[in-house]
Amino acid sequence: MYLKRIFMLFIVLFVLLINSSVNAEESVYDERMALFKKTEALTQIPWYYFAAIDNYERNIKKNADDEKVVSIDVPPELWFGLGNSSMIHDERLIMFFNGKGKDGNGDGKADPENPEDILQTIGNYILEYGQTKDDIKIALWNYYNRDLSVQTIMNTAKVFQTFQDINLTDRDFPVSISHNYSYRSTWGDRRGFGGLRIHEGTDIFAGYGTPVKSTTYGVIEMMGWNLYGGWRIGIRDIYNIYHYYGHMNGYDDNIKVGQVVKPGDVLGSVGSTGYGPPGTSGKFPPHLHYGMYKDNGTSEWSFDPYPYLKKWERIAKQKD
């Protein structure tokens, strides 16, 4: 009887711990969303642009704090102004030195560590260019001076707008698990076609026609023929990662460039296209080449997708 009570107490404590962890995670997303919508009300700039900028900056940081409410870092010289070497937070002095820092919470100070001040500052910066989608793109380009940064933020904003949510963590496996398939870690292997190079992905072998699916929330950036990858699709997700699908047999009729996708959406089917001009097929067994490329705000590089595929495969099997 005593052991049974101890066991039940352990179960209750475990459930409480899990629930508190889930609630804490939800509260961070709720707090962020409340701040984004408050800034929207003050600036008339849609909340999903602030959410996308914040999400982009969180994902370019090497050791990002996921519990931090807002992760946008405005450069000190832009925030305080070039002449404000003491970095005084008084908003009037910041304005005197042509700084951009703004007071978002009404305390008279523009603090680059305060989430409300940060979002108000970004909002005011964008308003200098205007409120239309094109105005926002110009503002982002002048802020980041990088096309890929602007593209990623605009794509993420489109995803957040579509799903009216920022807590989008679901994933799926890139081929249908109800079909026969096999794969192993092949990232970094040598490839000879077109010159000596490394294999930037994992090959998932499956029969012709096996459905190929989106693994993530994102926007389709690229479709069409590639000399190496044949019929391929490229998806930019909300974590600053580009997902590359190669050697496909064809596309789903509803798929197009610029489309927002979610985990499990069918993109097309497995094939053996590539290694030649458009239409070349059958130079190797049918398989899906799946690659992942991370952007850190200055450069983009390939990394091994195999550990992620194993994790997403488990998730997909639990749903099945």
Side-chain angles (χ1 to χ4, degrees):
M1 188 68 175
Y2 177 75
L3 290 176
K4 185 177 180 181
R5 288 180 178 176
I6 293 293
F7 178 74
M8 291 302 296
L9 179 61
F10 174 79
I11 294 296
V12 170
L13 290 173
F14 179 77
V15 171
L16 288 174
L17 181 64
I18 294 297
N19 286 338
S20 64
S21 176
V22 171
N23 290 335
E25 182 179 349
E26 289 178 349
S27 68
V28 170
Y29 286 106
D30 291 342
E31 190 174 355
R32 285 173 187 157
M33 183 67 89
L35 288 175
F36 298 148
K37 290 194 172 181
K38 176 187 175 182
T39 312
E40 175 187 54
L42 293 171
T43 63
Q44 300 304 301
I45 297 170
W47 67 266
Y48 40 82
Y49 289 112
F50 297 109
I53 295 167
D54 176 58
N55 200 70
Y56 171 77
E57 295 224 5
R58 183 173 294 105
N59 283 288
I60 62 175
K61 292 176 170 60
K62 190 173 183 180
N63 297 306
D65 180 4
D66 291 335
E67 296 302 311
K68 192 174 182 180
V69 180
V70 172
S71 294
I72 301 171
D73 290 326
V74 179
E77 62 274 13
L78 186 65
W79 184 282
F80 294 105
L82 292 175
N84 189 1
S85 58
S86 298
M87 293 188 283
I88 297 172
H89 290 189
D90 186 283
E91 187 178 32
R92 293 166 300 179
L93 193 61
I94 290 173
M95 290 177 64
F96 177 79
F97 286 108
N98 296 315
K100 303 295 185 183
K102 294 296 179 183
D103 170 27
N105 63 356
D107 65 358
K109 298 179 180 179
D111 183 358
E113 297 297 324
N114 181 277
E116 292 179 86
D117 293 359
I118 294 168
L119 292 175
Q120 187 65 42
T121 299
I122 292 297
N124 276 52
Y125 180 87
I126 292 173
L127 286 175
E128 292 179 9
Y129 297 87
Q131 293 174 305
T132 70
K133 183 177 178 181
D134 287 339
D135 293 333
I136 293 169
K137 288 176 71 174
I138 293 169
L140 291 173
W141 194 93
N142 283 308
Y143 187 83
Y144 290 103
N145 292 303
R146 186 168 180 259
D147 288 336
L148 184 54
S149 299
V150 177
Q151 183 175 318
T152 301
I153 291 169
M154 297 303 289
N155 281 347
T156 300
K158 192 174 183 180
V159 174
F160 288 159
Q161 179 187 15
T162 299
F163 295 102
Q164 291 294 300
D165 196 2
I166 57 174
N167 187 10
L168 303 173
T169 58
D170 193 21
R171 293 298 185 127
D172 205 344
F173 195 65
V175 303
S176 169
I177 61 169
S178 63
H179 290 66
N180 291 324
Y181 66 89
S182 64
Y183 69 105
R184 62 180 180 85
S185 180
T186 54
W187 187 87
D189 289 356
R190 286 192 172 192
R191 291 291 184 269
F193 179 81
L196 189 62
R197 55 195 173 88
I198 70 165
H199 187 236
E200 296 183 345
T202 294
D203 288 337
I204 305 172
F205 290 89
Y208 287 106
T210 299
V212 171
K213 302 185 296 180
S214 174
T215 61
T216 185
Y217 293 92
V219 174
I220 296 176
E221 282 191 353
M222 184 71 68
M223 290 177 65
W225 184 267
N226 176 276
L227 178 66
Y228 302 109
W231 298 118
R232 83 330 190 169
I233 285 181
I235 296 173
R236 182 82 53 185
D237 76 6
I238 60 174
Y239 301 99
N240 302 3
I241 295 174
Y242 182 77
H243 301 253
Y244 178 89
Y245 299 74
H247 307 314
M248 295 173 65
N249 192 51
Y251 306 123
D252 185 85
D253 291 339
N254 298 317
I255 293 298
K256 60 183 181 296
V257 172
Q259 181 177 335
V260 173
V261 293
K262 65 182 183 301
D265 282 353
V266 175
L267 307 174
S269 60
V270 171
S272 61
T273 58
Y275 283 22
T280 303
S281 181
K283 289 195 170 184
F284 39 74
H287 69 277
L288 174 71
H289 170 95
Y290 185 80
M292 296 173 70
Y293 298 80
K294 175 68 175 179
D295 173 42
N296 67 356
T298 57
S299 59
E300 189 176 40
W301 68 93
S302 168
F303 63 95
D304 188 0
Y306 182 77
Y308 298 89
L309 291 171
K310 296 298 287 185
K311 179 180 178 180
W312 300 339
E313 183 182 33
R314 290 194 298 270
I315 292 173
K317 287 181 176 179
Q318 288 170 0
K319 295 178 184 176
D320 191 39

